[in-house]
Amino acid sequence: GVAISDDTTVKEHTILKGEGVTAIVKQGSESSRVYVGNERLFKRLGMFDLPEESINSANQWSNEGGTVGFIGIEEVGIVGTFCVADTVREEAHDVVSTLMAGGIEVVMLTGDGEGAAQAVGREIGLAKGNIHSRLLPEDKLHHVSGLKQSSTPEASSFCGRKGLVLMVGDGVNDALALSVADIGVAMGEGAALAMEMSDVTLMDSNLSKLLFSMRMGNKVKRTVKENIIFSCVVNAIAIGLTLAGKMSLLLAIASDVGVMLLVTMNGMKLLSRRTIDSIEVNRKESLSKKKLGHMYDFQPDEEINLEIV
């Protein structure tokens, strides 16, 4: 194990975005600046001087899907190497498959190394070309901005399809990209900054709730369109009857109040148990048949480019 003396203190802790962290570690009367981070950090500092055996081990870890990190001391060099690996959520493959089956392009943006990114991408069913690794927060920002510029709306959102970019993230490094995406979605167990910069925050980190939210959003839009069309049709009939001299004041009041009550009740159906069950039913059927990629019958009203970080 690692033994730490009681007189050890840490001060000036600083996050180096996309690279790691640094702090001054004081033990007794001696103090040193310590760095913990990725290969990019130590190459920038000119401290990436490792024996060939250590480099080979780091490359092997990376190829096996791990994220390799280093520990270094200023004026000493790298003193340790470690490897961590992400655990892919069990619902991730189903969610990604369902999104792609619905015509949504899914892209993964990550600051991890190439090996770790490709390993996770293969596990969730992404093509190699849709996996982008070793990205800084600014790189994610520029990638999302580029997608927004290339996703030109084909028509208005009311009567046609519209290209949108939806970004899903949970870390500090995702905050910039979340803020510029058309729709930013933060995970409820993620960093506070990510939740602050996003448009939507899921209550936990269950990715299935992303599909539920998108399907519910489609139902809301459909209901709004129904209410608008119904109101316009009733008002048009009322105007026609008025011009024909067959509309009384009482009938006009009744039609206006009736329309208001009907559109209100039509909107309230979104809160019903039946609506929620209709969204969930496809997931339950999929689980019973043990089919992947069909948790929800999802057909978006917009063309969406989805970024998963």
Side-chain angles (χ1 to χ4, degrees):
V2 178
I4 302 176
S5 60
D6 295 335
D7 60 347
T8 300
T9 59
V10 178
K11 61 180 182 179
E12 296 183 19
H13 179 276
T14 305
I15 297 176
L16 306 174
K17 291 183 178 180
E19 295 181 331
V21 296
T22 181
I24 294 178
V25 179
K26 184 176 181 181
Q27 185 174 11
S29 60
E30 298 181 357
S31 62
S32 303
R33 178 164 289 279
V34 178
Y35 296 92
V36 180
N38 55 24
E39 180 179 336
R40 182 192 293 115
L41 169 63
F42 288 93
K43 283 185 175 180
R44 178 174 65 82
L45 297 173
M47 296 172 58
F48 195 74
D49 186 13
L50 289 173
E52 184 177 352
E53 181 180 354
S54 297
I55 293 177
N56 291 337
S57 296
N59 290 335
Q60 180 181 352
W61 291 342
S62 179
N63 293 333
E64 292 175 352
T67 298
V68 180
F70 305 92
I71 303 172
I73 302 175
E74 194 173 41
E75 299 182 356
V76 175
I78 295 177
V79 297
T81 307
F82 61 91
C83 175
V84 296
D86 291 325
T87 301
V88 179
R89 298 189 64 88
E90 61 181 16
E91 75 274 10
H93 187 282
D94 286 353
V95 171
V96 171
S97 298
T98 303
L99 291 170
M100 292 191 297
I104 296 176
E105 179 184 0
V106 181
V107 180
M108 184 173 73
L109 308 179
T110 177
D112 292 341
E114 180 72 15
Q118 292 295 335
V120 173
R122 286 193 300 269
E123 190 168 348
I124 63 177
L126 286 180
K128 186 176 181 179
N130 286 5
I131 303 171
H132 304 273
S133 57
R134 298 182 182 276
L135 299 181
L136 294 172
E138 294 79 8
D139 298 328
K140 296 179 181 180
L141 170 65
H142 295 150
H143 190 92
V144 173
S145 299
L147 282 177
K148 285 186 64 177
Q149 293 176 0
S150 62
S151 299
T152 305
E154 297 178 0
S156 67
S157 59
F158 182 81
C159 60
R161 300 174 67 86
K162 184 178 181 181
L164 296 175
V165 177
L166 184 148
M167 169 80 178
V168 182
D170 63 354
V172 174
N173 293 338
D174 306 326
L176 291 175
L178 286 170
S179 66
V180 301
D182 292 311
I183 309 165
V185 180
M187 310 305 290
E189 298 176 0
L193 181 60
M195 291 187 280
E196 179 69 23
M197 301 300 290
S198 65
D199 302 300
V200 179
T201 299
L202 302 180
M203 295 306 294
D204 56 30
S205 294
N206 189 335
L207 289 173
S208 297
K209 292 186 177 179
L210 174 64
L211 292 180
F212 180 90
S213 301
M214 296 172 75
R215 182 69 185 274
M216 179 61 78
N218 280 335
K219 284 187 173 291
V220 170
K221 286 186 58 179
R222 191 177 302 116
T223 300
V224 170
K225 292 178 181 179
E226 291 172 355
N227 288 344
I228 292 175
I229 293 173
F230 177 72
S231 299
C232 290
V233 170
V234 173
N235 288 335
I237 294 174
I239 292 173
L241 291 175
T242 302
L243 294 176
K246 298 182 179 180
M247 174 66 75
S248 65
L249 178 60
L250 181 60
L251 184 58
I253 295 175
S255 65
D256 185 62
V257 174
V259 168
M260 180 184 67
L261 293 175
L262 288 174
V263 298
T264 299
M265 288 188 291
N266 190 41
M268 290 181 65
K269 74 181 182 182
L270 295 170
L271 302 176
S272 68
R273 185 76 252 176
R274 179 181 297 180
T275 299
I276 295 175
D277 289 342
S278 70
I279 297 176
E280 292 285 353
V281 66
N282 292 312
R283 179 181 67 87
K284 295 177 182 178
E285 292 176 353
S286 174
L287 291 177
S288 64
K289 296 177 181 178
K290 297 183 179 180
K291 292 182 179 180
L292 296 179
H294 298 282
M295 292 177 65
Y296 293 86
D297 180 17
F298 180 69
Q299 294 294 331
D301 289 336
E302 291 86 13
E303 292 182 349
I304 300 176
N305 292 296
L306 177 63
E307 308 292 327
I308 297 180
V309 180

